Amino acid sequence: DLGERFIALVDFYRYSTQGLDKAQIREIRRIKARVESERLPRGADKSRHLKLGPGGLSDTEWVAQLIQLRFGGTQPKLRTTSTIEVLQRATALKIIPIGDAATLSDSWRLATQIRNAIMLVRSRPSDEIPRDARALLAVAQVLGFDSGAALVDAWQRQRRRARIAFARPFFDALA
């Protein structure tokens, strides 16, 4: 009961019934651009970076969180901690096209699977697809790919589609 009362109190501040104004949206976009330019580790290949690279986990998460901030005040169904559920619920509410939500969700799932496979192979976390051929092959095999190149190709295709799907709601449709 106490937890539910606390969440209700916090939701009042988290989810404005007015959503976000244009200046707030511009500021969120500016912060996202800054994160992309400043947070990528030195020497990292952004096309192989599963978290911060274009089409990576953060693109999907930023879209979901922007949707929550814009519409969560009037659409309580969007108030969930699950990124994928936010996207699914947003499609049901006609906030984001189903194709974009599916592409972002697929990218998020693939990036998560690759990260988990990297952890299994290397026994330590990493957000970057391995460059070492042996480690890359091992990660690929864990995920059922025939080769490291096949895994990288699949990720490159998926992340490019996801970046396009990210841009529509993040820069256009939610403006």
Side-chain angles (χ1 to χ4, degrees):
D1 182 51
L2 176 62
E4 288 175 11
R5 288 193 325 231
F6 176 75
I7 295 296
L9 176 67
V10 171
D11 281 353
F12 175 78
Y13 296 100
R14 282 196 298 181
Y15 303 112
S16 167
T17 55
Q18 282 78 42
L20 299 173
D21 62 33
K22 289 188 185 290
Q24 291 169 317
I25 293 171
R26 270 193 310 275
E27 181 64 9
I28 289 168
R29 290 173 178 159
R30 186 191 68 74
I31 292 168
K32 170 68 168 136
R34 188 170 172 198
V35 166
E36 286 185 2
S37 68
E38 296 177 11
R39 299 297 299 163
L40 197 68
R42 179 162 294 173
D45 178 350
K46 65 181 174 182
S47 73
R48 294 171 82 100
H49 203 277
L50 301 163
K51 177 73 174 171
L52 299 174
L57 292 163
S58 72
D59 279 1
T60 301
E61 292 162 354
W62 279 79
V63 167
Q65 292 166 10
L66 182 60
I67 288 169
Q68 288 177 307
L69 290 171
R70 290 282 318 275
F71 303 102
T74 58
Q75 300 293 335
K77 289 182 178 185
L78 295 173
R79 300 177 193 175
T80 176
T81 57
S82 169
T83 299
I84 302 302
E85 282 184 38
V86 170
L87 295 174
Q88 290 170 343
R89 294 173 185 186
T91 61
L93 294 166
K94 309 267 190 263
I95 293 171
I96 181 173
I98 193 166
D100 287 349
T103 297
L104 289 166
S105 296
D106 290 347
S107 179
W108 191 91
R109 285 186 189 102
L110 180 57
T112 300
Q113 290 169 347
I114 296 170
R115 284 171 89 194
N116 291 342
I118 292 168
M119 180 67 178
L120 285 172
V121 168
R122 291 189 162 173
S123 298
R124 61 183 165 85
S126 177
D127 288 326
E128 192 170 359
I129 295 174
R131 296 178 202 196
D132 172 71
R134 199 165 158 197
L136 177 59
L137 178 59
V139 169
Q141 289 174 335
V142 166
L143 295 172
F145 289 91
D146 293 334
S147 67
L151 169 62
V152 171
D153 287 348
W155 171 246
Q156 295 302 329
R157 279 191 310 275
Q158 185 59 49
R159 76 165 190 84
R160 283 191 295 271
R161 286 192 301 266
R163 187 58 174 203
I164 293 166
F166 156 81
R168 278 192 283 269
F170 200 78
F171 293 108
D172 300 334
L174 298 179

